[in-house]
C-alpha cells in the first residue's frame, strides 16, 4: 500500500500538476521563467531534507543487533549478512565500542560494499537482471520518445502549444495515479511480475498513436492509457 501511495502521488505531481504549472508559466511568461520555477522547487525539496536525521538505535537492542551480525558472519547466510549490514549501519561508533564490537568501516567503504553485494545478488538472480534489463530498454524505447518527441508531435501534427503539452502530460500522470491506487487497494496477483511486464509491454502500444494522430484529444487518451499501464 505504501508503494501504491507513492505511485499515486509521484505521477500526480511529476506528470500532472508540475507540467500544468510549467505550461501556464511558459504561455504567460517564458520558458526561462518555468525553468526558474523548477529550480526553486528543487531548492525547496533539498531544504526539506536538511532537517532529516537518521533515527537512533534503541540502547536495549544494540547488543542483540551486534550479536546477530556476528552470528550471520559466522554462518555465512547471505540474507542474514545483508540484514546485519543494514542494522550495523544504524549503530553509532560509541554504541559499538561500548558493546566491545569492532569499529564500523568508513561510510564510503560501507556503501561500496553494499553496492557490490547488490550487484552480486543481481547477477545470480535471473528474474531480477532480466526484469531490470527489460525495464531499461522500455524506458529508452518508450519514455525517451514520450519525453523528447511528444512536444514536436503536439506542435507539428496537432498545431498545439505549451498548454496542450501540459494537458497530455497531465493525462499521463492521472492515469498512473489512478492505476496505482487501484493496484494498492487490491491483493497482489499470484504471478504479479508476469502481469506487470505484460502491462508494460501492451501499454507501450498507445505510444504509436501519439506519433500518427493529429488530435489533441486522442493524444490525451493515449497518454492516459500509457500512464495507467
Amino acid at each position: 500500500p505504501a508503494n501504491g501511495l507513492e505511485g499515486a502521488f509521484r505521477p500526480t505531481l511529476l506528470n500532472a500538476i508540475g507540467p500544468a504549472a510549467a505550461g501556464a508559466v511558459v504561455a504567460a511568461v517564458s520558458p526561462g521563467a518555468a525553468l526558474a520555477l523548477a529550480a526553486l522547487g528543487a531548492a525547496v525539496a533539498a531544504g526539506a531534507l536538511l532537517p532529516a536525521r537518521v533515527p537512533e538505535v534503541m540502547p536495549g537492542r544494540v547488543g542483540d543487533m551486534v550479536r546477530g551480525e556476528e552470528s550471520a558472519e559466522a554462518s555465512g547466510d547471505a540474507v542474514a549478512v545483508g540484514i546485519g549490514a543494514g542494522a550495523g549501519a544504524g549503530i553509532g561508533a560509541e554504541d559499538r565500542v561500548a558493546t566491545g564490537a569492532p569499529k564500523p568501516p568508513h561510510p564510503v567503504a560501507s556503501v561500496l560494499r553494499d553496492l557490490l553485494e547488490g550487484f552480486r545478488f543481481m547477477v545470480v538472480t535471473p528474474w531480477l537482471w532480466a526484469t531490470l534489463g527489460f525495464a531499461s530498454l522500455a524506458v529508452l524505447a518508450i519514455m525517451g520518445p514520450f519525453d523528447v518527441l511528444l512536444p514536436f508531435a503536439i506542435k507539428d501534427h496537432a498545431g498545439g502549444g505549451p498548454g496542450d503539452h501540459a494537458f497530455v502530460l497531465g493525462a499521463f500522470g492521472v492515469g498512473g495515479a489512478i492505476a496505482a491506487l487501484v493496484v494498492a487497494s487490491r491483493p497482489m496477483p499470484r504471478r504479479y511480475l508476469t502481469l506487470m511486464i505484460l502491462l508494460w509491454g501492451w501499454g507501450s502500444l498507445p505510444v504509436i498513436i501519439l506519433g500518427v494522430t493529429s488530435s489533441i484529444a486522442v493524444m490525451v487518451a493515449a497518454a492516459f492509457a500509457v500512464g495507467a499501464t
Side-chain angles (χ1 to χ4, degrees), residues 75-98:
S75 65
D77 189 320
V79 175
V81 167
I83 296 174
I91 300 175
E94 297 84 2
D95 294 331
R96 297 180 72 95
V97 171

Side-chain angles (χ1 to χ4, degrees), residues 152-180:
F152 295 98
I154 292 174
K155 179 182 177 182
D156 298 339
H157 292 179
D164 298 304
H165 185 213
F167 198 42
V168 175
L169 288 182
F172 176 80
V174 170
I178 293 175

Side-chain angles (χ1 to χ4, degrees), residues 4 178-189:
I178 293 175
L181 289 175
V182 171
V183 171
S185 62
R186 299 180 57 84
M188 290 287 286

Side-chain angles (χ1 to χ4, degrees), residues 2 30 46 66 88 90 96 103-104 110 114 117 125 140 149 171 203 218 224:
S30 68
V66 173
R96 297 180 72 95
K103 192 174 182 179
S110 178
D114 290 345
E117 282 188 20
T125 309
L140 175 66
L149 301 180
V218 174
F224 182 90

Side-chain angles (χ1 to χ4, degrees), residues 113-208:
R113 183 189 63 188
D114 290 345
L115 284 173
L116 184 59
E117 282 188 20
F119 276 104
R120 284 174 177 168
F121 179 76
M122 180 190 69
V123 169
V124 300
T125 309
W127 70 263
L128 182 56
W129 59 255
T131 304
L132 286 173
F134 176 83
S136 300
L137 290 174
V139 169
L140 175 66
I142 300 170
M143 295 311 301
F146 189 89
D147 289 339
V148 177
L149 301 180
L150 181 60
F152 295 98
I154 292 174
K155 179 182 177 182
D156 298 339
H157 292 179
D164 298 304
H165 185 213
F167 198 42
V168 175
L169 288 182
F172 176 80
V174 170
I178 293 175
L181 289 175
V182 171
V183 171
S185 62
R186 299 180 57 84
M188 290 287 286
R190 187 173 63 88
R191 299 184 66 84
Y192 59 88
L193 191 63
T194 301
L195 178 62
M196 181 183 72
I197 292 178
L198 285 174
L199 285 172
W200 282 358
W202 288 105
S204 66
L205 294 180
V207 176
I208 299 173

